[in-house]
Amino acid sequence: MEITGSIKEVRRQVKEWKKQGLSVGLVPTMGYLHEGHKSLIDRAVKENDRVVVSDFVNPIQFGVNEDLSTYPRDIEADKKLCEAAGADLIFHPTPEEMYAADFSTYVEMQKVSEGLCGKSRPTHFRGVCTVVNKLFNIVMPDRAYFGEKDAQQLAVIRRMVRDLNIDIDIVGCPIVRESDGLAKSSRNTYLNEAERKAALVLSKAVFAGKKMMEEGERDAEKILSAMRGIIEAEPLARIDYVEMVDADSIAPLERAEGRVLTAMAVYIGKTRLIDNFIMEI
Ligand code: PAF
């Protein structure tokens, strides 16, 4: 497995693979890899001849008061995980390699990026779309792999690929959870012992909402208020949002019908965590 920070080197390598007729999968990440990322790499390794993992904490998707400077990083551990999972190349650029000092072109999306996380993080998806577009242009993969934990991000990327006619298959992969239910996230590392326990309210609310829908409840407000009740009972938790939307357009739903995304962002202490479930009804 090779690791490089150079755009030129990635292009050279991928061109060589393509000349040999090999298919290429891309797993975009911000590093500090865990089992959730590993499941994306495993799937990419199964479905492609060669796999590139990008490992880049993208500064332009963080708001001014967010955790860019403290975002966890451990490239040595990332290398081991990628190597063990069978990736072929890690692209680990510096911010300077990705963004020229006079960088001035952004990919902006309306509607799909405006609800849910877009409300409290208004520049986030512009940063995500821009960097993912750049990664697509650098790696030119056949397929790219994203986690369903970031369900809105997945919807945004699918919409961007459709709208801009980008010829790459987008593959969504299921949420990976700790044994007690907490969705795996690099940000879980911010939690102290009491917060780690408190963070279970997210998955508890997810499981409760899912059960209500499985048992036939369709009224969004009934489901959401039961879920909010579980979270509000935890003193360390503060809700950013708990909402039910169409999983593709992210438009709010009053009834659980179609491809339904029930998603939440909750602060546990200072750490903002997300979780969700999708059901087709
Ligand atoms: O999901 C992430 O880790 C990031 O948002 C992504 C897609 C790698 C873009 O920086």
Side-chain angles (χ1 to χ4, degrees):
M1 189 191 69
E2 206 198 318
I3 173 160
T4 181
S6 155
I7 292 172
K8 221 169 137 189
E9 172 55 17
V10 174
R11 287 208 162 118
R12 188 204 59 74
Q13 179 61 267
V14 173
K15 266 190 199 146
E16 203 177 295
W17 289 336
K18 294 255 165 116
K19 235 194 265 165
Q20 295 167 29
L22 301 174
S23 63
V24 177
L26 169 67
V27 182
T29 81
M30 296 209 299
Y32 212 70
L33 305 179
H34 50 66
E35 287 295 313
H37 298 108
K38 188 174 171 299
S39 73
L40 306 182
I41 303 171
D42 287 343
R43 174 100 182 252
V45 166
K46 261 194 213 130
E47 295 179 352
N48 300 275
D49 299 313
R50 294 290 180 270
V51 170
V52 180
V53 177
S54 65
D55 187 314
F56 176 60
V57 181
N58 173 37
I60 68 165
Q61 71 186 71
F62 288 78
V64 271
N65 293 319
E66 292 181 2
D67 56 344
L68 173 61
S69 61
T70 54
Y71 195 83
R73 293 159 167 90
D74 188 345
I75 190 65
E76 290 310 315
D78 291 352
K79 271 196 236 170
K80 281 189 197 138
L81 186 144
C82 288
E83 180 118 56
D88 299 280
L89 176 65
I90 300 181
F91 176 45
H92 181 50
T94 59
E96 294 72 29
E97 177 76 356
M98 290 295 275
Y99 298 109
D102 58 353
F103 184 85
S104 41
T105 309
Y106 296 88
V107 179
E108 193 115 34
M109 184 176 297
Q110 295 164 342
K111 295 206 170 109
V112 184
S113 68
E114 287 167 5
L116 305 185
C117 289
K119 261 190 224 151
S120 46
R121 306 185 73 192
T123 58
H124 174 66
F125 288 113
R126 180 176 96 141
V128 170
C129 285
T130 303
V131 81
V132 169
N133 227 282
K134 284 167 69 67
L135 291 168
F136 286 174
N137 287 330
I138 292 164
V139 179
M140 305 271 246
D142 299 285
R143 295 174 199 87
Y145 297 79
F146 296 88
E148 287 173 354
K149 182 168 84 69
D150 296 287
Q152 186 179 16
Q153 170 172 279
L154 185 54
V156 162
I157 288 164
R158 286 192 199 283
R159 181 62 62 96
M160 175 180 80
V161 161
R162 189 204 72 179
D163 286 355
L164 301 183
N165 307 99
I166 299 173
D167 191 14
I168 294 172
D169 285 343
I170 303 302
V171 183
C173 302
I175 296 177
V176 178
R177 297 182 181 278
E178 303 284 355
S179 55
D180 61 3
L182 181 67
K184 299 238 183 198
S185 163
S186 305
R187 288 189 169 101
N188 291 348
T189 164
Y190 296 148
L191 303 170
N192 66 29
E193 209 179 315
E195 289 169 342
R196 173 65 184 76
K197 270 191 204 141
L200 286 179
V201 289
L202 281 93
S203 52
K204 277 189 191 148
V206 159
F207 300 148
K210 200 167 174 200
K211 188 159 176 275
M212 285 177 81
M213 273 164 73
E214 280 165 355
E215 287 170 357
E217 184 57 65
R218 295 289 174 263
D219 185 314
E221 210 32 64
K222 273 196 194 147
I223 297 164
L224 295 174
S225 58
M227 292 172 69
R228 287 186 192 116
I230 292 170
I231 299 166
E232 282 161 357
E234 169 51 61
L236 292 178
R238 181 169 58 83
I239 292 176
D240 180 4
Y241 67 80
V242 181
E243 284 185 39
M244 189 181 287
V245 298
D246 177 89
D248 301 309
S249 67
I250 313 294
L253 293 176
E254 285 179 8
R255 287 190 61 76
E257 271 155 13
R259 219 167 82 80
V260 179
L261 165 65
T262 308
M264 64 180 71
V266 176
Y267 286 92
I268 302 292
K270 286 191 174 140
T271 305
R272 186 176 177 279
L273 299 176
I274 56 174
D275 203 343
N276 72 75
F277 65 100
I278 292 180
M279 268 180 81
E280 296 240 22
I281 293 165

